[in-house]
Amino acid sequence: MNRIPLLIPELPSVAELQPYLERIDAARWYSNFGPLCREFEGALAGMFIAKNAQPVRVTTVSSCTLGLELALRALDLAPGSQVLLPALTFVASATAVVRAGLVPVAADVDPQSWLLTPEIARAACARYPLAAILPVTTFGCPHEMDGWDRFSAECGLPVVIDAAGAFGNQWQTGRATLVFSLHATKSLAAGEGGVVVSRDEKLVARVRQLSNFGINLDPAAALPVGQVDVPGTNAKLSEYHAAVGLASLAKWPLLAGKARTLEERYRGLIDGVAGLGAVWQQRPAATLRTLLCIRVRSAALRAAIEADCAGAAIETRRWYLPLINQHKGFAGIETCGALPVAAALAADLIGLPFHGRLEAADLDRITGVLAQAARQQA
Ligand SMILES: Cc1ncc(COP(=O)(O)O)c(C=O)c1O
């Protein structure tokens, strides 16, 4: 029985990369905001501007984790200030907060969208002296930017969205800063890398400076060129990563179309499994998926699916577990109340294989195992 992997990243082939690599060879420029990096940033900015005709600034970084850290640092918050994030997220969201010298506070998520929403943040503001909010595009689900704009106007707090897996779903239609991941498993992949997108020109320039050791490269700035006011880090995107990013961008419409077709077929099959009680994350129509995570009727059924899939050589994953406050490394962080929704999701969510190599027979095999587990747990 062949194994069905959870994810198979589809990065550009050697042939697709070749023209970009030849340009690197010719220019002999390998990092430090070289021509491919700038072209990649320009192409990304163009995509965001095309979506809502607003000027945006884009700077690349070496990962989403560092992009988040630097975007938070660029806000110049007092050291030790509290930042609200969802309890159901990847550890990197909290890592970025801690590494920026700030303190994470974990919040619950919405039962339908599985997101930390402006309503949840508003309630948290009444209990904690928060300095910023870090919502997450959980499983690639975009945020409604107007809602966060209204929140910021009312509460006076900046919002940095961890949009790691939401490239192609989350557009820059508001004031919040967006940080995407270019990790191999993400919707737009460069192997490793990240992108910071904002309408705030100063914030993006600050992130860029901090990503280059904190060195000022702007002759118009008060600080002399070549000097550092605040120590930064090295979070630059290399020309090789920009090459992969550009080649990925060139095949983006093809990959997006494939993912859409797969989701439609898969969803029909899963919804047809009796007794599964599949609940889908509520997300805007036509959003892209790079992974598939559903909620099932009970924790017992989720455990049975995990065991039966393992027995049938089908890989599954329980993403974002344990909840952020349950990691040893973040054990001391405060939670905003009891987090009942995040805890229930943590028990019932199961990630299933989702990638372009899945054949009709694989989908039948996966849904067959789901049906068997649902029958056993009836
Ligand atoms: C929600 C979230 N934030 C941040 C990251 C980290 O992204 P990167 O690997 O680019 O640092 C991930 C990666 O999976 C993620 O899922």
Side-chain angles (χ1 to χ4, degrees):
M1 188 168 32
N2 66 318
R3 190 175 138 272
I4 304 183
L6 185 75
L7 299 170
I8 302 183
E10 281 205 48
L11 272 78
S13 65
V14 171
E16 287 163 335
L17 281 174
Q18 182 88 12
Y20 300 98
L21 298 180
E22 281 171 4
R23 284 177 53 193
I24 298 177
D25 275 357
R28 307 203 80 73
W29 190 341
Y30 301 102
S31 187
N32 293 31
F33 312 117
L36 277 83
C37 176
R38 284 169 191 266
E39 183 177 321
F40 185 43
E41 291 170 339
L44 294 171
M47 288 176 82
F48 283 95
I49 291 165
K51 275 283 165 186
N52 73 328
Q54 288 281 346
V56 294
R57 297 288 160 161
V58 170
T59 191
T60 49
V61 279
S62 56
S63 70
C64 173
T65 310
L66 275 162
L68 289 167
E69 175 186 332
L70 299 185
L72 289 168
R73 283 188 61 190
L75 295 175
D76 269 333
L77 304 173
S81 299
Q82 291 183 320
V83 177
L84 192 73
L85 46 65
L88 183 75
T89 185
F90 185 56
V91 287
S93 317
T95 305
V97 173
V98 171
R99 291 188 57 85
L102 305 167
V103 176
V105 175
D108 209 357
V109 292
D110 176 78
Q112 268 82 43
S113 66
W114 312 347
L115 301 177
L116 164 58
T117 59
E119 291 67 40
I120 295 171
R122 250 182 222 105
C125 282
R127 299 176 56 169
Y128 292 92
L130 299 170
I133 315 292
L134 192 118
V136 175
T137 57
T138 314
F139 309 130
C141 179
H143 283 265
E144 204 244 301
M145 298 287 272
D146 290 351
W148 284 114
D149 277 3
R150 283 193 296 276
F151 167 86
S152 287
E154 271 167 49
C155 304
L157 297 184
V159 175
V160 174
I161 300 184
D162 176 345
F167 184 84
N169 290 345
Q170 182 71 70
W171 297 103
Q172 182 47 279
T173 54
R175 308 220 155 270
T177 296
L178 306 176
V179 186
F180 298 93
S181 171
L182 302 173
H183 183 262
T185 55
K186 298 297 187 280
S187 46
L188 179 69
E192 289 279 5
V195 185
V196 179
V197 182
S198 178
R199 285 195 199 161
D200 184 339
E201 190 176 338
K202 275 199 185 136
L203 182 136
V204 174
R206 190 66 172 156
V207 170
R208 199 171 184 79
Q209 184 179 348
L210 290 170
S211 76
N212 185 32
F213 311 98
I215 297 170
N216 175 42
L217 298 178
D218 178 6
L223 186 73
V225 168
Q227 282 211 23
V228 167
D229 52 353
V230 176
T233 187
N234 182 359
K236 298 187 297 312
L237 191 79
S238 80
E239 285 291 274
Y240 288 107
H241 288 92
V244 184
L246 280 166
S248 286
L249 212 46
K251 63 191 290 193
W252 163 257
L254 180 79
L255 293 180
K258 265 168 92 175
R260 237 175 231 126
T261 313
L262 174 62
E263 175 176 4
E264 273 165 26
R265 270 207 266 147
Y266 217 150
R267 193 171 174 135
L269 289 171
I270 289 177
D271 284 341
V273 175
L276 194 62
V279 176
W280 297 79
Q281 181 179 26
Q282 196 179 82
R283 38 200 285 162
T287 47
L288 285 178
R289 275 184 192 282
T290 49
L291 56 81
L292 187 77
C293 193
I294 55 163
R295 187 171 192 181
V296 294
R297 184 166 40 77
S298 66
L301 176 54
R302 189 265 311 142
I305 291 170
E306 260 189 297
D308 289 0
C309 282
I314 298 168
E315 210 183 327
T316 60
R317 176 85 47 88
R318 295 179 71 197
W319 273 291
Y320 299 168
L321 284 189
L323 295 179
I324 207 74
N325 53 302
Q326 292 163 348
H327 283 273
K328 190 170 169 228
F330 298 114
I333 73 171
E334 285 197 61
T335 62
C336 224
L339 317 177
V341 180
L345 285 167
D348 304 341
L349 287 180
I350 183 88
L352 298 171
F354 192 86
H355 51 79
R357 305 265 167 96
L358 286 174
E359 306 282 350
D362 297 322
L363 298 188
D364 287 343
R365 202 168 119 202
I366 295 164
T367 43
V369 173
L370 296 180
Q372 169 197 312
R375 272 195 305 276
Q376 282 162 3
Q377 291 293 314

